[in-house]
Amino acid sequence: QVQLVESGGGLVQPGGSLRLSCAASGIFISIYDMAWYRQTPGKERELVAQIPRGGVPNYADSVVGRFTISRDNARNSVYLQMNSLKPEDTAVYYCRGGNSRGVFWGQGIQITVSS
């Protein structure tokens, strides 16, 4: 059974930092393109950052220079370092893994940026 489990979320003040982790089981992420998405109530889920297999990471314009995605294939995990957080970053963040064999999602984790 495939599982993607996010951790590291919570409440942070504007300007603060958080690091999200996504631990995979049932798949080897080394053969998957991995990504982080986020969603707020009433809006579609949007891509935040993605890191292809052996490729160059890319980011949504709104997070460029503030967020960094990374992967550790040996630990079967993906990370999202979020700095200079803004209230508009408040959302549920989802980990996603995909390739030609299928797409898998985590259950999501809440990030709230508020003073």
Side-chain angles (χ1 to χ4, degrees):
Q1 181 180 1
V2 177
Q3 280 192 310
L4 299 177
V5 180
E6 300 98 339
S7 62
L11 174 65
V12 63
Q13 292 188 342
S17 297
L18 282 176
R19 186 181 189 232
L20 298 183
S21 298
C22 171
S25 59
I27 59 171
F28 294 108
I29 69 164
S30 59
I31 62 170
Y32 284 80
D33 299 328
M34 302 301 294
W36 288 95
Y37 283 69
R38 67 186 180 188
Q39 189 171 24
T40 55
K43 293 188 176 181
E44 291 189 358
R45 197 170 293 187
E46 65 172 359
L47 176 66
V48 176
Q50 61 182 1
I51 183 165
R53 293 161 286 173
V56 177
N58 59 84
Y59 301 89
D61 289 344
S62 59
V63 307
V64 169
R66 300 188 299 122
F67 290 11
T68 303
I69 189 172
S70 61
R71 63 193 297 160
D72 186 337
N73 291 338
R75 287 185 164 84
N76 223 26
S77 295
V78 181
Y79 308 97
L80 186 68
Q81 178 66 43
M82 304 185 292
N83 299 328
S84 302
L85 282 160
K86 305 175 181 180
E88 51 263 44
D89 294 317
T90 296
V92 177
Y93 284 70
Y94 297 89
C95 179
R96 177 190 185 276
N99 66 12
S100 60
R101 304 181 184 188
V103 174
F104 303 100
W105 291 91
Q107 81 286 352
I109 192 164
Q110 178 70 45
I111 304 298
T112 302
V113 184
S114 175
S115 55

